[in-house]
């Protein structure tokens, strides 16, 4: 048996593509016809051209889109060009450092063309640090400037609202970050309304659009009834996230009239917008959790408060019952003492009267005896009242428990009626409602004009459309009964209009039924 070869990780990626055999000397390249090359022939020409390059090339540039998946995959770029690079595990282990996006490095390796995938890549064997990139340097300089101005100070950051009624989300409508925020807020507390502000999150003009949107929401937060803002987007390279490192966005967040929670990229990504914001979320989901109360926790707190209130009522009633019992015992003791003293005094008076029998003393003692009788009657009445108070306290406890039970049953009945009569139940039965651009319900075809945008609200979302034509007929406002709800605009209107669909479902908007 021969010696078993050592394990080589480079072989895990498969054997290199076999080059087609070279054409015979003096003959033209293989073709599929008389005037064009085959794909394999063109790939052979590319490989032949790359073989003329040196086998060891040193190239300097800036790291971008770095990914560590056992092997290192990244791009090397400068101001005008970019090239895909790969550094296999064996070479990556020998590297003195792990690069990140924005690092300026010098790579040593070779350029190869892989015909099976049609890719030209630089295969790096060694990497040396050259210095930080332009974006990384700009990021650090702006961080140092804003930190000196106090924009990052913890003391100026505001607390988040405990129970916000409406939260604005500044992000791209098509991004996954928006869906994470909507799902999390719907699961934790559906009562919190969401206002979606669709903006570009990368590319030219993205920073200016984000800053302008935050400024508008800040100026209109009372009209829009906004208590907080979430600024978010998914992960990406330093270039993709650069819109949130611009000074305009940081200034808009700093001057915003309501608290701002920023969650940009993944947990390892840090942007200037997150440093200036009142709260930073590692992910869009965490940002939604910071602003949305947990309805399960609220239910537990409500049940605990109900139990505490019940125990407090019982404890207070027990204290009052004990005080009444103590007062009754004290009153009985004082009554016995008083009667004893009165009896002794009466006996002394009777003895003195037997010896002297003066009329004046007799009348005085009679008056004292009458007063003592009155006090005795009052003491007996007080004892009777004490027993009545004890019975009244017991009745109060029973009445309180009965009232709480009736109110609980009434609340459950009202909740069921609200669920049955709610607009979502009506839409779930196949109905829809059409709104104009201001969010008002369309009750007649005469209320719109060709070119007006419309929004049709369905049970599972909304459709946007534009009025393009109008049927012939007299233009008279339809008569409506003030006490009846408006009929759906798409079925029973006396004048029917055709429309062109301009948008897909909108599951994020929750304010379509506002007048």
């Amino acid at each position: 048996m021969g010696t078993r070869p050592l394990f080589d990780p480079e072989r895990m990626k498969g054997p290199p593509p076999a080059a087609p055999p070279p054409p015979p000397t003096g003959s033209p390249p293989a073709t599929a016809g008389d005037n064009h090359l085959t794909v394999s022939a063109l790939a052979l020409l590319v490989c032949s051209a790359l073989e003329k390059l040196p086998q060891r090339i040193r190239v300097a540039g800036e790291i971008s889109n770095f990914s560590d998946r056992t092997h290192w995959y990244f791009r090397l770029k400068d101001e005008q060009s970019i090239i895909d690079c790969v550094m296999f595990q064996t070479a990556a282990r020998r590297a003195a450092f792990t690069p990140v996006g924005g690092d300026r490095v010098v790579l040593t390796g070779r350029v190869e063309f892989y015909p099976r995938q049609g890719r030209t890549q630089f295969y790096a064997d060694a990497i040396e640090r050259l210095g930080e990139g332009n974006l990384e340097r700009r990021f650090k300089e702006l961080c140092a400037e804003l930190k000196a101005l106090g924009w990052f100070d913890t003391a100026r950051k505001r607390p988040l609202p405990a129970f916000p009624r409406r939260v604005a989300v500044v992000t791209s409508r098509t991004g996954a970050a928006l869906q994470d925020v909507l799902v999390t807020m719907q699961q934790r507390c559906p009562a919190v309304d969401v206002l979606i502000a669709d903006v570009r999150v990368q590319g030219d003009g993205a920073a200016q659009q984000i800053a302008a949107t935050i400024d508008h929401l800040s100026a209109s937060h009372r009209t829009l009834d906004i208590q907080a803002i979430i600024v978010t987007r998914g992960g990406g390279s330093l270039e993709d996230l650069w819109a949130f490192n611009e000074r305009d966005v940081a200034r808009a967040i700093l001057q915003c009239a309501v608290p701002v929670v920023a969650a940009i990229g993944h947990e390892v990504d840090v942007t200037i917008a997150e440093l200036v914001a009142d709260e930073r979320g590692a992910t869009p989901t965490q940002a939604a959790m910071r602003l949305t109360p947990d309805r399960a926790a609220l239910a537990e707190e409500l049940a605990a408060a109900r139990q505490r209130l019940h125990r407090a009522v019982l404890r207070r009633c027990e204290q009052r019952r004990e005080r009444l019992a103590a007062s009754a015992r004290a009153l009985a003791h004082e009554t016995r003492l008083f009667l004893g003293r009165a009896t002794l005094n009466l006996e002394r008076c009777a003895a003195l009267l037997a010896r002297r029998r003066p009329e004046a003393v007799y009348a005085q003692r009679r008056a004292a005896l009458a007063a003592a009788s009155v006090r005795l009657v009052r003491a007996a009445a007080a004892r009777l009242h004490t027993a009545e108070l004890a019975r009244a306290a017991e009745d109060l406890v029973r009445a309180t428990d009965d009232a709480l039970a009736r109110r609980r049953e009434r609340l459950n009945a009202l909740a069921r009626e609200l669920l049955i009569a709610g607009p979502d139940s009506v839409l779930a039965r196949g109905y829809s409602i059409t709104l104009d651009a201001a969010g008002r319900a369309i009750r007649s075809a005469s209320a719109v004009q060709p070119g007006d945008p419309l929004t049709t609200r369905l049970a599972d979302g909304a459709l946007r459309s534009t009025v393009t034509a109008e049927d012939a007929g007299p233009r008279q406002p339809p008569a409506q009964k003030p006490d009846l709800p408006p009929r759906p605009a798409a079925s029973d209107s006396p004048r029917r209009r055709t429309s062109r669909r301009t948008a897909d479902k909108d599951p994020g908007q929750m304010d379509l039924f506002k007048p």
Side-chain angles (χ1 to χ4, degrees):
M1 296 178 62
T3 304
R4 184 176 181 179
L6 297 176
F7 172 72
D8 185 4
E10 294 290 339
R11 300 177 61 186
M12 295 299 295
K13 65 180 185 294
T25 305
S27 62
T31 63
D34 295 333
N35 57 355
H36 59 271
L37 295 172
T38 64
V39 176
S40 299
L42 178 59
L44 178 60
L45 292 178
V46 174
C47 292
S48 301
L50 292 178
E51 287 177 356
K52 299 178 182 179
L53 296 176
Q55 292 298 313
R56 299 283 290 178
I57 300 176
R58 288 173 57 84
V59 57
E62 182 176 326
I63 295 289
S64 175
N65 294 90
F66 181 80
S67 175
D68 186 356
R69 296 178 292 179
T70 305
H71 308 304
W72 291 354
Y73 299 93
F74 55 93
R75 292 181 175 182
L76 195 68
K77 67 175 186 177
D78 58 14
E79 290 77 4
Q80 297 179 348
S81 304
I82 189 170
I83 186 171
D84 292 333
C85 302
V86 60
M87 192 170 187
F88 293 117
Q89 183 181 13
T90 53
R93 288 179 176 177
R94 295 193 299 267
F97 67 98
T98 300
V100 296
D103 286 351
R104 292 188 57 82
V105 298
V106 177
L107 300 179
T108 302
R110 65 194 184 280
V111 178
E112 292 185 3
F113 176 71
Y114 189 29
R116 191 175 299 275
Q117 296 182 356
R119 297 181 61 184
T120 302
Q121 293 187 114
F122 186 86
Y123 293 84
D125 299 327
I127 184 171
E128 304 173 20
R129 190 186 297 276
L130 184 62
E132 60 185 8
N134 293 332
L135 291 181
E136 188 72 19
R137 183 174 60 256
R138 288 172 55 190
F139 176 80
K140 292 182 179 180
E141 291 175 353
L142 186 56
C143 279
E145 178 185 354
L146 299 184
K147 184 177 182 180
L149 295 175
W151 289 20
F152 299 164
D153 291 348
T154 306
R156 53 153 290 273
K157 297 187 177 183
R158 296 157 294 187
L160 302 181
F163 298 97
R165 295 184 300 276
R166 173 180 283 188
V167 175
V169 182
V170 180
T171 187
S172 173
R173 182 181 294 274
T174 60
L178 176 61
Q179 299 305 318
D180 293 342
V181 171
L182 294 178
V183 171
T184 301
M185 297 183 71
Q186 179 67 20
Q187 291 176 349
R188 288 178 61 85
C189 188
V192 178
D193 196 7
V194 180
L195 177 64
I196 302 174
D198 185 20
V199 297
R200 298 179 59 187
V201 294
Q202 69 182 67
D204 296 337
Q208 291 75 14
Q209 188 177 8
I210 295 170
T213 302
I214 296 175
D215 289 339
H216 174 70
L217 294 175
S218 175
S220 307
H221 74 281
R222 297 186 185 277
T223 304
L224 300 175
D225 194 22
I226 296 173
Q227 287 75 48
I229 297 175
I230 296 178
V231 180
T232 186
R233 67 149 288 163
S237 63
L238 182 62
E239 295 86 351
D240 296 337
L241 306 180
W242 189 253
F244 298 91
N245 290 322
E246 294 288 354
R247 187 188 186 95
D248 291 343
V249 176
R251 187 266 315 154
I253 295 176
L254 179 73
Q255 298 177 357
C256 186
V258 295
V260 178
V261 178
I264 311 301
H266 301 297
E267 186 172 1
V268 296
D269 299 321
V270 179
T271 61
I272 292 178
E274 294 175 299
L275 298 176
V276 177
D278 299 287
E279 188 79 18
R280 176 182 182 264
T283 60
T285 299
Q286 189 181 48
M289 294 176 62
R290 294 287 181 88
L291 275 176
T292 310
D294 189 358
R295 59 178 175 180
L298 293 177
E300 293 178 358
E301 292 181 5
L302 182 60
R306 185 183 296 110
Q307 293 178 358
R308 289 195 300 270
L309 178 60
H310 183 67
R311 288 195 297 267
V313 171
L314 293 180
R315 186 168 55 253
R316 182 64 61 87
C317 292
E318 185 64 25
Q319 292 174 354
R320 293 294 187 269
R321 188 180 295 109
E322 291 177 357
R323 290 178 60 181
L324 287 173
S327 299
R329 290 193 297 268
L331 181 59
H333 179 68
E334 292 179 358
T335 301
R336 288 193 298 269
L337 292 178
F338 175 76
L339 291 176
R341 290 192 297 268
T343 302
L344 293 176
N345 191 19
L346 182 60
E347 291 176 353
R348 286 195 299 268
C349 291
L352 181 61
L353 182 60
R355 290 194 301 269
R356 298 184 180 180
R357 296 182 182 276
E359 294 297 329
V361 175
Y362 181 77
Q364 184 179 4
R365 293 297 184 265
R366 179 179 293 177
L369 182 59
S373 299
V374 172
R375 288 195 297 270
L376 182 59
V377 172
R378 290 178 178 175
R383 185 173 182 179
L384 180 60
H385 292 165
T386 300
E388 293 178 355
L389 287 176
R391 289 192 298 272
E394 295 177 356
D395 295 340
L396 177 61
V397 171
R398 287 194 297 270
T400 302
D401 294 339
D402 294 341
L404 287 176
R406 289 194 301 272
R407 293 296 176 85
R408 188 179 297 108
E409 292 176 359
R410 178 57 179 167
L411 180 60
N412 293 333
L414 291 176
R416 290 191 297 269
E417 293 176 2
L418 179 60
L419 179 61
I420 294 174
D424 291 338
S425 299
V426 177
L427 294 182
R429 294 198 296 268
Y431 291 93
S432 65
I433 183 171
T434 303
L435 311 175
D436 59 12
R440 296 184 296 266
I442 303 299
R443 296 180 173 88
S444 172
S446 61
V448 295
Q449 297 294 332
D452 288 354
L454 302 178
T455 300
T456 301
R457 182 73 168 91
L458 303 172
D460 58 344
L463 301 176
R464 299 186 183 279
S465 58
T466 303
V467 177
T468 59
E470 177 180 353
D471 292 344
R475 192 174 188 84
Q476 297 179 356
Q480 293 185 359
K481 296 182 179 180
D483 295 336
L484 296 178
R487 297 181 179 178
S491 60
D492 298 332
S493 175
R495 304 176 63 175
R496 187 171 303 165
R497 300 174 182 272
T498 60
S499 59
R500 176 173 54 89
R501 305 298 182 189
T502 59
D504 294 333
K505 297 180 180 179
D506 185 7
Q509 290 299 107
M510 304 171 67
D511 57 346
L512 295 177
F513 290 95
K514 291 189 175 180

